[in-house]
Amino acid sequence: MLPWYKELSKPEKRTFWACFSGWGLDAMDTQMYALTIPTLIALWGMTKGQAGILGTTVLIMAALGGWAAGILSDRYGRVRILQVTIAWFSLFTFLSAFTDSYWQLMITRSLQGIGFGGEWAVGAVLISETINPKVRGRVVGALQAGWAVGYGIAVLISTLLFDFMDHAIAWRVLFALGIVPAVLVLWIRRNLEEAPVYLRQRATAKDEKVDIWEVFRGSSRATTFKAILLTFGIYGGNYVMITWLPAYLKLVLNLSINNIGGYLAINILGSFAGAFLNGWMADAFGRRKTFMIIACCQAVAVGIYTMAPINLGVTLVLGFVLGTLQSGTAAGTGAYIAELFPTRIRGAAQGLCGNAGRAIGAIMPAIVGLVSVDVGLGVAMGVCAALAYFIVVIAAFILPETRGRDLNSVQ
């Protein structure tokens, strides 16, 4: 079913599974917050605006963490910094279980965001530099399926916990389980190697200091801002749905906890499929066309899901489509950003462009929370997400095509 996997060497397969697992466990830890929003609103009296602001703050911190981790990975190696970021986000997810107020949770979740942004940036660069250019789009795109798996695990665990435990305790246990991903660090230490393209770059620039501002200079500057615009649109739209979908299902559609789990499961299955769809399209039709086609389809699907008078059966089916397209936009960013920049600044560029887009896009969940007070949660979600996906189309149109690019040749 996945012929490209058979073409991978043993080191490539190990790198793939390490990044896939890291991204999945990262998603598990990150999505725990979205799944506890309704409970925390009830227990702590948080407003929707506060919930959105907390989610936005975490993503802003993820941008800082991504850039910092990317810079460090250019200097000290992708594998070493990948281990640090996984251990970091695991620790602060665990500590979130012991918070007793909105502001305490703000601190632990913000620190968790640093590791979340860093893990994605470093993992995306490592896998992009390791994989053969002919299948890079499919392999790196498939990593997004790891997010769906991690999200699915979080939904399953939360459904069981909230079913069998008092809600006041269940959310704490959920966050405490966030320490589990730290175990992956031990496997990475024993099994992963740096990509040859990175080792060659470090060998030729042994005494050269990493210039953290090079992404804003010369020919890189325009590319940097265009790539940030692309990721802003992608994550701005996606985070609207990721952050608010559980609350939408409960507060607008009035579904029970069990039914919410079922609806989210369908959405997550779509996300799993979308990762492979993007990879296939990106290698077959090119990176730019793939972004534009999927973003247009997603804008239409979101509008129908949140604002059209559809019944619960259609909502369930359309949830799969939403998940597929949502994952389909995000899955292409890892390989594409890596192909836009030279090896000496690839980590910093990946961390900055991917996570600055997240940070700016993070204002969208907050806007939804604030605007929903006047127009309703569904309308706020639909309008904000659709506008974000329109930005994706514009950004993809003005960026260059990079399909099949040899990373050694990027200057």
Side-chain angles (χ1 to χ4, degrees), residues 33 36 47 65 95 119 148 150 165 167 232 244 292 296 310 341 350:
Y33 170 68
T36 58
T47 65
L95 292 178
E119 190 277 333
M165 299 180 69
H167 289 195
F232 159 57
W244 285 109
M292 289 189 279
C296 285
I310 56 178
F341 295 93
Q350 185 78 263

Side-chain angles (χ1 to χ4, degrees), residues 27-28 31-32 34-35 148-162 174 246 257-268:
M28 183 187 78
Q31 288 309 111
M32 287 177 180
L35 295 167
V149 172
Y151 190 5
I153 292 172
V155 169
L156 176 62
I157 294 174
S158 67
T159 301
L160 293 173
L161 289 177
F162 283 99
L174 184 63
I257 291 293
N258 283 338
N259 284 334
I260 288 173
Y263 275 70
L264 291 178
I266 296 298
N267 179 257
I268 291 164

Side-chain angles (χ1 to χ4, degrees), residues 57-58 61 88-89 92-93 95 105-116:
T57 303
V58 170
M61 295 301 290
W88 182 284
F89 76 69
F92 286 102
T93 302
L95 292 178
L105 184 61
M106 174 77 79
I107 293 171
T108 58
R109 292 294 291 168
S110 296
L111 290 171
Q112 187 264 2
I114 293 176
F116 158 56

Side-chain angles (χ1 to χ4, degrees), residues 28-314:
M28 183 187 78
D29 279 14
T30 302
Q31 288 309 111
M32 287 177 180
Y33 170 68
L35 295 167
T36 58
I37 285 178
T39 298
L40 294 178
I41 287 176
L43 291 175
W44 289 355
M46 278 199 312
T47 65
K48 293 177 185 176
Q50 285 179 316
I53 290 170
L54 200 158
T56 295
T57 303
V58 170
L59 296 175
I60 291 173
M61 295 301 290
L64 298 176
W67 191 18
I71 292 169
L72 292 172
S73 75
D74 285 336
R75 181 68 180 86
Y76 299 107
R78 321 304 195 196
V79 176
R80 182 182 300 177
I81 303 304
L82 181 64
Q83 297 171 56
V84 173
T85 58
I86 293 174
W88 182 284
F89 76 69
S90 300
L91 172 63
F92 286 102
T93 302
F94 174 75
L95 292 178
S96 295
F98 303 96
T99 58
D100 291 309
S101 70
Y102 173 78
W103 292 108
Q104 289 178 7
L105 184 61
M106 174 77 79
I107 293 171
T108 58
R109 292 294 291 168
S110 296
L111 290 171
Q112 187 264 2
I114 293 176
F116 158 56
E119 190 277 333
W120 178 85
V122 178
V125 171
L126 176 62
I127 191 71
S128 295
E129 291 180 336
T130 302
I131 300 300
N132 186 306
K134 293 181 180 179
V135 295
R136 185 183 296 129
R138 278 163 285 177
V139 176
V140 181
L143 292 183
Q144 190 68 26
W147 177 275
V149 172
Y151 190 5
I153 292 172
V155 169
L156 176 62
I157 294 174
S158 67
T159 301
L160 293 173
L161 289 177
F162 283 99
D163 249 359
F164 295 102
M165 299 180 69
D166 184 274
H167 289 195
I169 301 297
W171 74 269
R172 294 185 185 276
V173 176
L174 184 63
F175 279 138
L177 292 174
I179 196 66
V180 173
V183 178
L184 180 62
V185 172
L186 302 176
W187 186 87
I188 290 175
R189 287 177 64 87
R190 297 182 58 184
N191 293 281
L192 284 201
E193 301 173 355
E194 294 289 353
V197 65
Y198 172 78
L199 295 176
R200 283 193 294 270
Q201 165 62 27
R202 294 308 302 161
T204 57
K206 204 171 201 179
D207 300 320
E208 184 180 332
K209 290 185 178 180
V210 175
D211 182 359
I212 65 173
W213 302 109
E214 187 177 346
V215 291
F216 294 114
R217 296 194 179 111
S219 60
S220 296
R221 180 170 53 213
T223 302
T224 295
F225 286 115
K226 291 174 185 176
I228 290 174
L229 184 66
L230 177 74
T231 56
F232 159 57
I234 291 171
Y235 291 110
N238 285 2
Y239 281 134
V240 165
M241 302 307 294
I242 288 173
T243 301
W244 285 109
L245 185 56
Y248 175 79
L249 294 173
K250 181 175 179 62
L251 302 177
V252 178
L253 300 187
N254 298 312
L255 298 180
S256 67
I257 291 293
N258 283 338
N259 284 334
I260 288 173
Y263 275 70
L264 291 178
I266 296 298
N267 179 257
I268 291 164
L269 285 174
S271 295
F272 187 85
F276 300 100
L277 171 67
N278 175 282
W280 175 78
M281 290 180 65
D283 281 341
F285 307 120
R287 312 317 194 207
R288 296 169 65 246
K289 288 182 180 178
T290 298
F291 282 124
M292 289 189 279
I293 292 170
I294 294 180
C296 285
C297 294
Q298 179 71 330
V300 174
V302 166
I304 296 173
Y305 189 90
T306 57
M307 294 185 285
I310 56 178
N311 59 41
L312 290 179
V314 175

